[in-house]
Amino acid sequence: MAVPAPRSGKTESYVDNKRKDDIRMANIKAARAVADAVRTSLGPKGMDKMISTASGEVIITNDGATILNKMDVIQPAAKMLVELSKSQDVVAGDGTTTVVVIAGALLKQCQTLLRSGIHPTVVSDSIYKASLKAVEVLTAMAVPVELSDRESLVKSASTSLNSKVVSQYSSLLAPLAVDSVLSVVDPAKPDLVDLRDVKIVKKLGGTVDDTELVKGLVFDKKVSHAAGGPTRVENAKIAVIQFQISPPKTDIEQSIVVSDYTQMDRILKEERNYILSMIKKIKSTGCNVLLIQKSILRDAVTDLSLHYLAKAKILVIKDVERDDIEFITKTLNCLPIANIEHFRAEKLGYADMVEEASLGDGKIVKITGIKDMGRTTTVLVRGSNQLVLDEAERSLHDALCVVRCLVNKKFLIAGGGAPEIELSRQLGAWSKVLHGMEGYCVKSFAEALEVVPYTLAENAGLNPITIVTELRNRHAQGEINAGINVRKGQITNILEENVVQPLLVSTSAITLATECVRMILKIDDIVTVR
């Protein structure tokens, strides 16, 4: 039971029973432990994590969302931080480490406030107010950017890539990310970019330098070579089919008893005629490339049907995944055909060239020169080993998200810890105007934001205290864009160094981190239900 404390009229005091305090502190501790785990991988000089999963695969990554996703977190409050980085990944795509680090710092400040006896609700409301103000300050700092200004877009994409393992290739991957996003932007809906329209195909072999943007389609499969079918077709007419070219099966489990050879011959003849009539229908529309969807019920194609298709000079790519069908039909501007009866010429897609090319140790099929191509793009990522390849794909995804953010909200702000210090300064000044506990809490919020520049400096091996003090000094003199230049190890105007990030990344990081911290603060008990 809580004992009602003798109240003196002057001070606001808050009495809580011990247990609830313990649980709140335990939650904060657990969440901070998670935040500290990813703190070292923040920034261009951040370290990478090597994650070994239960199944024995190894992942090397620098992406906060990936690290936390793979971590097995048991404490419920710490799980909230994992969700937090996931939601940042969905909203902005980049800044997944930043958001967790900010949340960790906020929790640390909240711990101090709660120990001073401030009510959690007061803390929670003040943080919320401060976060709204922070977003205003950030928006005031932002520089508008036009989508036609390709250079700025490339700068922000390369800033995102700089903290990754593949940073040395940022001069190649950044323009590639910008071009691929700009090519899928629909002029009718200029604010929406669906990243599902950018397909990333990974192929082992070569180095990341060989990564290229393909105007068309790439399949990570080979053409079926049965019976010497064609492997290269010009002026292709392409059909995407979802039915099987193979003898029909009965719907129910049953067996057919054949007693003599004439009946067996008749069955085989029927099968042959069935397949031949299908292929004649296909051939009559002038189709010469078939993409066949994977089938579960029975073989999508049999040896016999492949033989006839090869005779008809039709190139066959089988086992196309169900999930890719939508992307393929959008790119080829054709319709998927679900039944042989509906096979008509108007449902076909047209391309100048379909050919098989050997890459590394495997082969791929490229479809180029597509007529009336839909707004999609394929990126062919290469890498010397599987780890580099996976990390290149994740980094590219982050860069694509950064460009997508800029398409959604056309504003840039400086990177390198500059916006955080500026926020810290302005909120610190604002907190002096507020009364009572609120001002105190806002001041703590402002101090918490300094964790980003502090960590950047720490990870780069600089003296964090000197750097952060110097940064504050420069911002107090009115240099809004002064930030930490990690390469030179000193403080410079970071906009001139081309270290920029989209406004959306920073604003969503602050709002999401605040939301998460407020939720953790409000929890005063964990009830386990058996």
Side-chain angles (χ1 to χ4, degrees):
M1 273 301 287
V3 186
R7 287 250 164 132
S8 57
K10 291 177 189 135
T11 56
E12 306 178 23
S13 74
Y14 165 60
V15 181
D16 194 356
N17 41 11
K18 184 79 183 82
R19 168 168 170 163
K20 296 196 166 164
D21 247 14
D22 284 350
I23 287 210
R24 199 174 278 121
M25 287 306 169
N27 282 347
I28 291 180
K29 222 180 218 153
R32 275 184 60 198
V34 171
D36 287 342
V38 292
R39 221 185 91 177
T40 47
S41 62
L42 180 75
K45 297 267 175 154
M47 296 298 162
D48 300 338
K49 304 274 182 246
M50 193 170 203
I51 303 163
S52 160
T53 56
S55 57
E57 63 168 329
V58 175
I59 300 170
I60 297 177
T61 179
N62 196 311
D63 178 40
T66 313
I67 297 170
L68 290 175
N69 229 342
K70 300 287 178 199
M71 261 163 60
D72 207 6
V73 181
I74 297 167
Q75 219 275 356
K79 275 190 185 155
M80 288 168 66
L81 282 191
V82 181
E83 294 299 320
L84 168 70
S85 76
K86 270 192 208 161
S87 53
Q88 172 76 357
D89 203 22
V90 171
V91 175
D94 196 22
T96 45
T97 320
T98 318
V99 72
V100 177
V101 171
I102 291 179
L106 278 174
L107 285 170
K108 187 178 173 188
Q109 293 289 349
C110 291
Q111 232 172 348
T112 325
L113 293 175
L114 293 176
R115 285 207 183 110
S116 324
I118 302 178
H119 195 291
T121 315
V122 176
V123 180
S124 157
D125 292 346
S126 317
I127 299 182
Y128 178 59
K129 269 192 181 162
S131 76
L132 291 181
K133 176 80 172 169
V135 173
E136 273 172 39
V137 173
L138 279 176
T139 318
M141 276 175 70
V143 186
V145 61
E146 281 303 317
L147 286 187
S148 50
D149 178 9
R150 187 162 173 271
E151 205 172 291
S152 296
L153 298 181
V154 173
K155 277 179 200 168
S156 61
S158 64
T159 304
S160 159
L161 288 167
N162 272 340
S163 62
K164 306 281 187 256
V165 184
V166 289
S167 57
Q168 66 265 37
Y169 303 112
S170 62
S171 56
L172 163 86
L173 293 177
L176 198 132
V178 172
D179 292 341
S180 52
V181 170
L182 290 183
S183 65
V184 299
V185 175
D186 190 357
K189 299 192 284 272
D191 294 345
L192 286 176
V193 177
D194 189 357
L195 285 186
R196 280 175 302 201
D197 291 345
V198 179
K199 188 171 178 215
I200 299 181
V201 178
K202 298 185 286 190
K203 196 77 179 134
L204 212 59
T207 56
V208 183
D209 279 327
D210 303 331
T211 300
E212 54 174 338
L213 194 67
V214 182
K215 275 259 169 259
L217 267 178
V218 172
F219 290 101
D220 187 6
K221 311 189 165 46
K222 44 184 214 273
V223 175
S224 75
H225 286 287
T231 56
R232 176 177 172 201
V233 174
E234 291 181 16
N235 294 334
K237 295 182 180 172
I238 306 166
V240 179
I241 64 172
Q242 294 181 308
F243 56 88
Q244 297 88 14
I245 308 182
S246 60
K249 252 189 182 174
T250 48
D251 288 342
I252 41 180
E253 276 294 315
Q254 67 182 27
S255 49
I256 301 169
V257 181
V258 179
S259 54
D260 61 355
Y261 282 114
T262 45
Q263 283 177 322
M264 230 160 113
D265 281 347
R266 256 174 60 205
I267 291 176
L268 289 174
K269 214 170 180 178
E270 271 303 308
E271 282 188 9
R272 214 170 317 154
N273 290 344
Y274 179 80
I275 291 173
L276 270 174
S277 71
M278 269 183 149
I279 291 173
K280 274 181 187 151
K281 271 183 190 160
I282 292 174
K283 194 66 190 155
S284 65
T285 56
C287 157
N288 52 13
V289 175
L290 267 190
L291 306 178
I292 304 181
Q293 180 182 315
K294 229 182 197 165
S295 161
I296 316 163
L297 301 174
R298 56 179 207 242
D299 303 334
V301 279
T302 56
D303 290 346
L304 188 63
S305 56
L306 283 176
H307 167 78
Y308 285 130
L309 283 167
K311 268 194 169 167
K313 297 273 181 290
I314 295 177
L315 183 144
V316 178
I317 302 172
K318 55 182 186 192
D319 293 346
V320 175
E321 292 292 339
R322 178 80 186 268
D323 310 338
D324 296 346
I325 294 279
E326 193 183 338
F327 180 83
I328 293 166
T329 49
K330 187 170 180 181
T331 310
L332 291 173
N333 206 353
C334 65
L335 294 167
I337 304 166
N339 193 328
I340 185 74
E341 302 303 327
H342 304 156
F343 205 104
R344 292 193 212 91
E346 56 263 29
K347 291 196 177 179
L348 303 184
Y350 297 91
D352 293 345
M353 180 71 139
V354 177
E355 65 174 332
E356 182 179 67
S358 44
L359 260 194
D361 52 357
K363 297 196 165 177
I364 59 164
V365 182
K366 269 189 186 177
I367 302 183
T368 46
I370 299 171
K371 264 204 199 109
D372 310 326
M373 181 171 155
R375 294 191 169 274
T376 60
T377 303
T378 306
V379 180
L380 185 60
V381 181
R382 309 291 305 280
S384 47
N385 63 29
Q386 199 58 44
L387 298 176
V388 173
L389 200 58
D390 290 345
E391 183 56 11
E393 184 197 13
R394 278 191 291 270
S395 310
L396 194 61
H397 176 259
D398 274 14
L400 289 171
C401 288
V402 164
V403 185
R404 185 188 65 179
C405 285
L406 283 176
V407 174
N408 286 353
K409 217 177 185 182
K410 302 177 180 60
F411 286 102
L412 279 175
I413 53 173
E420 282 83 6
I421 279 285
E422 183 59 25
L423 279 180
S424 178
R425 192 183 68 76
Q426 296 209 21
L427 288 176
W430 184 55
S431 72
K432 292 189 180 117
V433 188
L434 296 169
H435 300 296
M437 290 294 175
E438 251 184 9
Y440 196 61
C441 298
V442 171
K443 191 167 184 306
S444 297
F445 183 91
E447 278 168 22
L449 288 174
E450 282 176 11
V451 70
V452 175
Y454 186 92
T455 311
L456 278 178
E458 197 175 48
N459 288 349
L462 310 168
N463 182 343
I465 298 177
T466 333
I467 292 275
V468 173
T469 317
E470 171 66 8
L471 249 184
R472 273 200 209 138
N473 184 15
R474 297 282 279 276
H475 276 261
Q477 289 162 15
E479 298 181 36
I480 298 189
N481 294 326
I484 304 171
N485 184 342
V486 186
R487 294 213 174 82
K488 293 182 182 161
Q490 62 206 47
I491 287 166
T492 48
N493 181 340
I494 213 91
L495 270 188
E496 286 163 14
E497 296 284 340
N498 297 339
V499 179
V500 286
Q501 56 185 9
L503 173 64
L504 193 61
V505 170
S506 289
T507 50
S508 84
I510 285 178
T511 38
L512 289 173
T514 314
E515 239 171 51
C516 178
V517 170
R518 289 180 65 205
M519 272 172 69
I520 293 179
L521 279 182
K522 292 260 179 101
I523 295 169
D524 69 347
D525 212 339
I526 296 176
V527 183
T528 45
V529 183
R530 282 279 172 269

